Amino acid sequence: MKISKATIGLVKKAGLKPVFNLIMAFFYFGHQYKCIICGGTFRNFLPAGLDNEIAKSLIGGGRRRMTCPKCNSSDRERLIYFYIQNKTNIFSEQGKINLLHIAPEKNLRKFFQKRSNIKYIAGDLYPEKNDKKIDVTDLKEFKENFFDVIICSHVLEHVPDDLKAMRKLYGVLSPGGFAILQVPISKKLSKTYEDFSIVDPIEREMAFGQRDHVRIYGKDYIDRLKSVGFKVIKYNIAKDLNRAEIEKYKLNPEEILFVCQK
């Protein structure tokens, strides 16, 4: 069974996405794979991701079966979920945790909003309903050292002045807090590639793999984070799960989680 992107788009516009998800969950029901967010079990996951050569050169890039048929979580969303649940103690902390979520993934949003100890702020440059309009290069509405946790996944590759965004995120993060700052990273590049003379969307897709990307990060991504003050801890899911478990939960063993501390 193959469903086109156009059909999925029409379903979303018609407000039938929940029904579509139920149909997909039923069609893909099985016991080989399990989503750690919604708990559903399936015979396979749905394909997602870009299929161009640039995308394929990125860690975990290219078109793969990585999307949960029921809740539509991606492997990178499930990785963050696993880390928050199993490697942090923010839910056992007494008092409020101030959490900033940039370009919020819907399942993580639900996850955080249910927690009574979390003061949750979500936003984007082009926010959805009830979210704040937030420019990561201009966070002056927030106090310095305010947020205990920041989640900002696959945003910085869209931001022309990413170092300014990193400095702003560092500024509003509280000492002892942590920020998860994920970006697509090339398997081949030692140094981040960016060329601001490329402004045409089609040319950007050819250069960076996506029309709204302005760079491809290389192995120097950690150096960029450290340059603004962050201490960076690299986390790999393989430290806690074996290969069979990683495959069962459809996680990406190649993806490193960049946990940035102040």
Side-chain angles (χ1 to χ4, degrees):
M1 180 179 179
K2 186 175 182 180
I3 300 176
S4 70
K5 291 182 180 180
T7 300
I8 294 174
L10 289 173
V11 169
K12 289 180 178 180
K13 288 182 179 180
L16 299 176
K17 193 63 164 48
V19 176
F20 180 80
N21 288 346
L22 288 174
I23 294 172
M24 288 294 97
F26 175 79
F27 181 80
Y28 279 89
F29 176 76
H31 299 285
Q32 187 170 356
Y33 302 102
K34 181 176 182 178
C35 176
I36 60 173
I37 292 183
C38 70
T41 60
F42 311 98
R43 61 179 176 83
N44 213 334
F45 273 42
L46 300 175
L50 299 174
D51 202 29
N52 59 51
E53 291 304 313
I54 295 293
K56 291 176 182 178
S57 73
L58 303 176
I59 293 175
R63 193 158 181 81
R64 298 174 292 115
R65 288 190 174 272
M66 62 181 182
T67 300
C68 172
K70 183 178 179 181
C71 71
N72 292 140
S73 63
S74 66
D75 54 351
R76 68 194 190 204
E77 188 176 5
R78 292 190 296 276
L79 178 60
I80 294 173
Y81 178 89
F82 180 91
Y83 183 85
I84 293 290
Q85 278 277 57
N86 296 281
K87 309 301 289 187
T88 77
N89 62 352
I90 66 172
F91 301 128
S92 60
E93 292 279 350
Q94 293 186 355
K96 288 287 184 182
I97 296 291
N98 296 319
L99 190 152
L100 176 63
H101 195 180
I102 304 293
E105 299 86 352
K106 71 167 190 174
N107 291 292
L108 292 180
R109 179 206 298 273
K110 292 178 182 177
F111 177 56
F112 295 133
Q113 286 180 326
K114 290 179 180 177
R115 308 293 167 166
S116 60
N117 71 317
I118 291 181
K119 181 178 180 182
Y120 179 73
I121 298 175
D124 198 345
L125 191 60
Y126 305 102
E128 295 185 4
K129 185 179 180 181
N130 298 324
D131 286 349
K132 294 177 69 68
K133 182 178 175 62
I134 295 177
D135 179 351
V136 288
T137 64
D138 183 9
L139 299 175
K140 60 187 177 186
E141 64 180 295
F142 303 117
K143 296 179 181 178
E144 293 283 299
N145 307 315
F146 181 73
F147 291 104
D148 304 290
V149 180
I150 298 173
I151 309 293
C152 181
S153 179
H154 286 247
V155 172
L156 294 174
E157 67 273 16
H158 300 267
V159 181
D161 194 344
D162 64 330
L163 291 177
K164 182 177 181 181
M166 292 176 190
R167 285 192 291 270
K168 295 298 182 180
L169 292 168
Y170 181 85
V172 298
L173 184 67
S174 65
F178 69 90
I180 295 177
L181 306 179
Q182 296 301 101
V183 296
I185 294 181
S186 172
K187 302 173 185 177
K188 303 175 181 179
L189 295 179
S190 296
K191 186 176 181 180
T192 295
Y193 168 60
E194 52 192 358
D195 182 347
F196 296 111
S197 69
I198 303 174
V199 294
D200 179 78
I202 296 176
E203 291 181 0
R204 280 185 172 174
E205 183 176 6
M206 294 173 62
F208 309 122
Q210 195 164 310
R211 295 187 177 201
D212 54 353
H213 286 189
V214 296
R215 68 180 57 81
I216 301 177
Y217 285 99
K219 296 175 183 177
D220 63 339
Y221 178 57
I222 290 180
D223 295 330
R224 293 167 86 97
L225 293 168
K226 288 181 176 179
S227 73
V228 305
F230 283 120
K231 175 184 176 182
V232 183
I233 297 173
K234 297 192 297 182
Y235 172 76
N236 187 285
I237 193 70
K239 291 182 179 179
D240 292 295
L241 298 178
N242 60 42
R243 294 184 69 174
E245 290 171 321
I246 291 171
E247 175 63 15
K248 180 179 179 66
Y249 301 136
K250 281 293 184 181
L251 296 166
N252 181 5
E254 291 186 337
E255 183 165 9
I256 300 296
L257 208 62
F258 296 96
V259 183
C260 306
Q261 299 178 334
K262 183 174 182 178

